[in-house]
């Protein structure tokens, strides 16, 4: 157990050994196909159904497809690093576990705290979108006047989001394999809808809508805060990050939210029968599939209508259905709405799954209460952690507004990607003897490029997002020193060894 205090590291061997503890053992019943389904389930949904059209209308114009490509490249570089770690350290916790083996306990805690923000906020944010689509589906089947949100005193209560989280909590508590089967069925519906968009939308494309591909930058509103600019634009003295080159880059940072998912695949490595082979396949397969679909949909949607028709009006953001409605294809809009409802269901479920596995890993290490890591005798799932996360996410989804939640998720995810990429370089040097089911090529070049790409994307998020992120990180540091440092199992083992040696 090299290192002491804040920088004590947990060996890869110890992390793997801990997975066999009877009270905290997860059931290994997933294969490469299951992992790929999870990846596609979580990645296809948020970007296609809630971000592509609105980002084009408000930030990038037709060049939103290029924003998707830039975000996919950044994700691809990081995915290579995740694949090596997932095949080398097949333990729940993803970036948290990898950081524990490379940077030490304090950094691991910080990244775990960061991942809690990423997955919990993502699940809450997307469930709000699901609730909006639920209301549209109810209207399609003739149930009008039943809003999924209503005022409850000073708060707005979203019963649709609460209903979704409650249902998914039950599914995840009953087993990961069941979750994979549910994801497979719903993802099939989702992919069908995406392909429908591409095929039908092709006949409505007007190439004039692609000009200008990168619209000239527009001045921001006079009352707009400087904190609402991208940090890069603010540092370089730009006046706006709407359209133009700054808009294109800001758009890449926004649609990056759509690609969050392959890191969830890494969190399920411990529940995979052959993680050395299947984890990399699941990561790369899901990322390749969704990148092709995203770019195709972005090209079709921006070709169907002028990007200005996709701008947000009175707080209402455009969706894929908007483009079809503007072309008079009302039945297609209805199908898209149903597909979006199904699609966002799996997005929330897999984000929820990732959150529980991070909490489980941190609890097993004693950085959070150990009782949360106890698994169910029959289902082999961390039921306590699932119920607690379900309750917290349900409250956030039911009562908190969704504004800016996507950007909060982005900054947290990019930070995790940076540490994982750096961790590959460190572990290659400190433990070259470790068996690796997949070896990232061109190390350290690929990890360095991944770090640069992620830093670049982080700089294109708004300054206000950075302020919120820093506040969350400060809160995490406080929790670590008040609780986690004292209750760390690794720290206790080192104290026991020191006490034994002093006798």
């Amino acid at each position: 157990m090299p290192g002491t205090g804040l920088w004590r590291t947990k060996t890869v061997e110890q992390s793997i050994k801990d997975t066999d503890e009877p009270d905290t053992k997860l059931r290994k019943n997933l294969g490469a196909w299951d992992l790929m389904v999870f990846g596609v389930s979580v990645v296809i949904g948020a970007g296609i159904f809630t971000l592509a059209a609105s980002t084009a209308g408000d930030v990038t114009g037709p060049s939103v497809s290029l924003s998707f490509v830039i975000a996919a490249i950044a994700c691809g570089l990081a995915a290579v690093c995740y694949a090596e770690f997932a095949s080398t350290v097949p333990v729940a916790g993803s970036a948290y576990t990898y950081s524990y083996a490379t940077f030490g306990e304090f950094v691991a805690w910080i990244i775990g705290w960061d991942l809690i923000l990423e997955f919990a906020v993502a699940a809450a944010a997307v469930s709000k979108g699901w609730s909006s689509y639920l209301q549209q589906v109810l209207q399609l089947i003739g149930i009008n006047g039943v809003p999924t949100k209503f005022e409850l005193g000073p708060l707005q209560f979203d019963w649709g989001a609460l209903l979704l989280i409650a249902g998914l909590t039950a599914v995840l508590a009953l087993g990961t394999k069941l979750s994979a089967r549910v994801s497979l069925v719903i993802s099939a519906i989702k992919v069908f809808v995406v392909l429908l968009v591409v095929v039908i939308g092709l006949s409505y494309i007007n190439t004039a809508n692609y000009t200008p591909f990168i619209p000239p930058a527009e001045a921001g509103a006079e009352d707009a805060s400087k904190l609402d600019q991208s940090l890069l634009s603010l540092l370089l003295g730009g006046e706006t990050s709407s359209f133009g080159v700054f808009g294109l880059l800001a758009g890449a940072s926004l649609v990056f939210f759509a690609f969050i998912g392959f890191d969830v695949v890494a969190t399920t490595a411990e529940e995979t029968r052959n993680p050395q082979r299947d984890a990399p396949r699941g990561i790369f397969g899901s990322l390749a599939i969704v990148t092709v679909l995203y770019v195709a949909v972005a090209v079709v949607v921006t070709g169907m209508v002028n990007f200005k028709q996709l701008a947000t009006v009175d707080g209402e953001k455009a969706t894929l259905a908007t483009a079809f409605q503007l072309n008079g294809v009302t039945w297609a809009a209805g199908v898209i709405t149903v597909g979006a409802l199904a699609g966002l269901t799996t997005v929330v479920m897999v984000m929820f799954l990732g959150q529980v596995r991070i909490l489980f890993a941190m609890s097993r290490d004693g950085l959070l209460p150990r009782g949360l890591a106890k698994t169910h005798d029959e289902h082999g799932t961390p039921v306590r952690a699932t119920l607690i996360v379900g309750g917290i996410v349900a409250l956030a989804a039911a009562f908190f507004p969704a504004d800016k939640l996507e950007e909060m998720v982005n900054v947290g995810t990019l930070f995790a990607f940076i540490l994982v990429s750096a961790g590959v370089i460190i572990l290659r040097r400190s433990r070259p003897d470790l068996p690796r089911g997949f070896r990232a090529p061109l190390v350290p070049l690929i990890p360095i490029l991944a770090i640069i790409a992620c830093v670049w994307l982080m700089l294109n998020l708004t300054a206000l997002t950075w302020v919120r992120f820093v506040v969350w990180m400060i809160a995490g540091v406080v929790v670590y020193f008040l609780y986690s440092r004292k209750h760390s199992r690794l720290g206790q083992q080192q104290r026991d060894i020191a006490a034994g040696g002093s006798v």
Side-chain angles (χ1 to χ4, degrees):
M1 292 178 290
T4 58
L6 298 180
W7 314 115
R8 54 195 175 214
T9 57
K10 184 178 180 181
T11 64
V12 173
E13 289 82 1
Q14 184 61 48
S15 292
I16 295 175
K17 181 181 178 181
D18 287 348
T19 65
D20 289 327
E21 292 183 353
D23 289 341
T24 61
K25 188 173 184 177
L26 295 171
R27 187 166 297 169
K28 298 180 183 294
N29 55 10
L30 300 178
W33 179 249
D34 295 314
L35 299 186
M36 201 174 299
V37 167
F38 274 139
V40 173
S41 294
V42 69
V43 178
I44 296 181
I48 285 185
F49 297 123
T50 64
L51 281 180
S54 62
T55 301
D58 298 332
V59 183
T60 66
S63 63
V64 66
S65 56
L66 187 55
S67 294
F68 273 112
V69 172
I70 294 172
I73 291 173
C75 281
L77 293 170
V80 171
C81 300
Y82 265 92
E84 174 165 328
F85 260 123
S87 67
T88 308
V89 193
V91 178
S94 185
Y96 158 76
T97 299
Y98 310 152
S99 296
Y100 215 156
T102 51
F103 297 104
E105 183 175 282
F106 180 66
V107 175
W109 164 263
I110 289 296
I111 198 63
W113 185 254
D114 168 67
L115 289 170
I116 289 174
L117 172 73
E118 173 193 338
F119 291 129
V121 173
V126 180
S127 65
K128 304 288 283 189
W130 184 91
S131 180
S132 297
Y133 277 107
L134 174 63
Q135 184 168 330
Q136 294 180 35
V137 169
L138 291 175
Q139 292 172 349
L140 285 174
I141 61 177
I143 302 177
N144 298 308
V146 183
T148 54
K149 309 179 186 70
F150 59 85
E151 300 301 323
L152 189 64
L155 301 173
Q156 185 182 66
F157 178 63
D158 191 332
W159 65 264
L162 181 62
L163 176 66
L164 174 65
I165 298 300
L168 295 181
T169 299
V171 171
L172 290 173
L174 290 174
T176 310
K177 189 66 177 180
L178 173 62
S179 305
R181 291 171 179 168
V182 172
S183 291
L184 177 60
V185 173
I186 300 179
S187 292
I189 298 173
K190 180 163 49 176
V191 172
F192 169 76
V193 171
V194 172
L195 294 176
L196 179 70
V197 169
V198 173
V199 172
I200 296 180
L202 285 173
S203 60
Y204 291 93
I205 287 179
N206 178 359
T207 55
N209 290 327
Y210 294 128
T211 305
F213 188 67
I214 302 179
E218 292 185 357
E222 293 183 1
D223 58 348
S225 169
K226 289 288 185 182
L227 291 176
D228 288 327
Q229 289 181 228
S230 72
L231 186 62
L232 181 65
S233 173
L234 192 62
L235 292 175
L236 297 181
E239 296 183 357
T240 179
S241 53
S242 295
F243 306 113
V245 175
F246 282 129
L248 170 64
L249 298 175
S253 295
L254 286 172
V255 300
F256 178 84
F257 178 69
F259 286 94
I260 296 173
F262 70 81
D263 53 333
V264 177
V265 175
T267 69
T268 60
E270 187 175 329
E271 298 163 87
T272 304
R273 290 187 293 271
N274 187 348
Q276 289 75 19
R277 180 195 66 188
D278 294 341
R281 290 183 179 181
I283 290 171
F284 294 133
S286 57
L287 186 59
I289 291 170
V290 300
T291 298
V292 171
L293 293 176
Y294 276 144
V295 173
V297 169
V299 169
V300 167
V301 169
T302 53
M304 290 177 66
V305 296
N306 186 283
F307 72 92
K308 294 181 180 179
Q309 294 176 284
L310 299 174
T312 298
V313 179
D314 295 330
E316 290 294 323
K317 291 187 176 183
T319 66
L320 279 185
T322 305
F324 281 90
Q325 289 169 341
L326 289 172
N327 279 277
V329 191
T330 54
W331 67 266
V335 172
I336 291 172
T337 299
V338 174
L341 184 71
L344 293 180
T345 303
T346 58
V347 173
V348 178
M349 182 170 71
V350 183
M351 286 293 184
F352 191 167
L353 173 67
Q355 165 70 92
V356 172
R357 295 307 178 266
I358 296 296
L359 192 68
F360 166 81
M362 296 174 74
S363 301
R364 185 164 59 186
D365 289 333
L367 301 185
L368 290 172
R370 280 272 294 167
L372 297 178
K374 182 174 175 56
T375 53
H376 192 274
D377 294 336
E378 180 181 352
H379 306 303
T381 57
V383 175
R384 294 178 183 175
T386 301
L387 294 177
I388 288 176
V389 171
I392 294 173
V393 173
L395 285 174
F399 293 105
F400 288 87
D403 294 347
K404 302 298 181 183
L405 286 179
E406 292 94 341
E407 289 198 22
M408 286 294 290
V409 175
N410 287 347
V411 69
T413 305
L414 287 165
F415 181 56
F417 285 3
I418 289 171
L419 287 183
V420 170
S421 300
V424 167
I425 300 174
I426 293 174
L427 202 61
R428 282 284 187 97
R429 294 180 177 178
S430 63
R431 295 296 308 275
D433 58 304
L434 284 175
R436 291 169 168 83
F438 172 83
R439 293 179 67 88
L442 301 176
V443 174
L445 178 60
I446 293 295
I448 289 174
L449 289 176
I451 292 170
I452 293 172
C454 290
V455 169
W456 179 261
L457 288 172
M458 288 179 79
L459 289 174
N460 281 284
L461 293 171
T462 67
L464 183 57
T465 297
W466 277 86
V467 171
R468 290 170 173 162
F469 178 64
V470 170
V471 170
W472 176 258
M473 289 294 105
I474 291 173
V477 171
V478 172
V479 173
Y480 175 77
F481 283 103
L482 290 180
Y483 180 88
S484 304
R485 189 182 185 188
K486 301 174 184 177
H487 294 82
S488 165
R489 292 184 71 198
L490 185 60
Q492 185 59 53
Q493 291 170 13
Q494 291 186 343
R495 288 190 291 271
D496 291 344
I497 292 173
S502 63
V503 175

